[in-house]
Amino acid sequence: MRILIVEDEPTLGQQLKNSLEQNGYAVDLSTDGEDGHFLGSTEEYDAVILDLGLPEIDGLTVLGMWRKEGRNFPVLVLTARNSWSDKVAGLDAGADDYLAKPFQTEELIARLRALIRRASGNASSELMAGDVRLDTRSGRVTRDGEPVKLTAQEYKLLSYLMHHKGKVVSRTELIEHIYDQDFDRDSNTIEVFVTRIRKKLGANVITTIRGLGYSLDDPDEPPRE
């Protein structure tokens, strides 16, 4: 899952970036509203953490611009403001959740997981496909109840496919969502990760849809585009 953080406090922004990366997310960090708006308008993200008190362009304006442009990724608003009117303004502008500073990083990550799950139509923190289980809280993957060890990139790819179970996902979409902006994106590595996951979880866990991409499905459910 790929996350954009737009936060003008350098220390806080870097702390959030580090924490999210440690939890398996690909993260881009922006420190002002103008650059943040540009990234959110031109890159693909699974969720955005947006501070309201930004230089150049304030967070509410950035959020309103994204929504007018049709950018519908979930947005978690951060702000030092704690009045009910600021919360209402953020939610009315298109925010999906609201967290006032100071906050616990664990709560932010839990809220972020919930936003991403809901955006992909998953209510539970445990994602399932046949005998494969992925717990988004712990990052634990099991097959038939037995733990399976994945590398960070294998986990990111599997997590994205399980969040979008039944959908055909192209290589381009996978690259856009499992790598951050600065990563050297090579589409050939996707096939390598898929091959490794199949060896660990079973040859049929991920289906290659020739010319379109990949799909992860329950055994008795056909993939849908």
Side-chain angles (χ1 to χ4, degrees), residues 14-175:
Q14 193 59 52
Q15 287 174 346
L16 291 176
K17 185 176 189 294
N18 293 342
S19 295
L20 289 171
E21 287 176 340
Q22 289 169 8
N23 279 269
Y25 296 96
V27 184
D28 294 330
L29 175 61
S30 175
T31 56
D32 67 72
E34 185 175 0
D35 180 62
H37 169 255
F38 175 77
L39 288 175
S41 298
T42 58
E43 299 285 338
E44 296 299 323
Y45 293 102
D46 297 288
V48 174
I49 299 170
L50 177 67
D51 183 37
L52 291 188
L54 296 170
E56 305 300 336
I57 307 174
D58 70 86
L60 282 178
T61 301
V62 170
L63 180 54
M65 292 165 68
W66 282 335
R67 294 315 192 210
K68 287 179 180 178
E69 294 163 359
R71 308 297 280 176
N72 59 2
F73 39 61
V75 175
L76 173 61
V77 164
L78 298 181
T79 182
R81 311 166 188 173
N82 199 23
S83 72
W84 67 266
S85 58
D86 289 325
K87 294 180 181 180
V88 169
L91 293 171
D92 282 348
D96 298 273
D97 201 356
Y98 190 106
L99 198 55
K101 301 175 183 177
F103 55 83
Q104 295 295 321
T105 303
E106 291 80 3
E107 180 182 1
L108 180 143
I109 293 174
R111 287 175 179 266
L112 196 65
R113 284 197 302 262
L115 287 178
I116 293 171
R117 287 199 312 269
R118 289 199 295 267
S120 58
N122 295 288
S124 173
S125 61
E126 185 178 63
L127 308 179
M128 299 176 286
D131 58 5
V132 176
R133 302 287 187 275
L134 186 151
D135 190 326
T136 60
R137 295 168 301 181
S138 64
R140 188 169 183 261
V141 176
T142 61
R143 183 189 181 198
D144 280 331
E146 295 297 320
V148 178
K149 187 175 182 180
L150 301 179
T151 67
Q153 296 297 351
E154 290 166 2
Y155 177 86
K156 289 177 183 179
L157 190 149
L158 178 66
S159 176
Y160 190 81
L161 289 176
M162 291 193 75
H163 274 88
H164 298 83
K165 186 174 69 173
K167 176 186 175 184
V168 178
V169 180
S170 69
R171 283 192 185 188
T172 299
E173 183 176 343
L174 284 169
I175 290 168

Side-chain angles (χ1 to χ4, degrees), residues 169-187:
V169 180
S170 69
R171 283 192 185 188
T172 299
E173 183 176 343
L174 284 169
I175 290 168
E176 289 174 340
H177 287 268
I178 71 172
Y179 296 132
D180 61 41
Q181 186 184 29
D182 297 327
F183 199 92
D184 183 15
R185 303 175 183 180
D186 182 357
S187 64

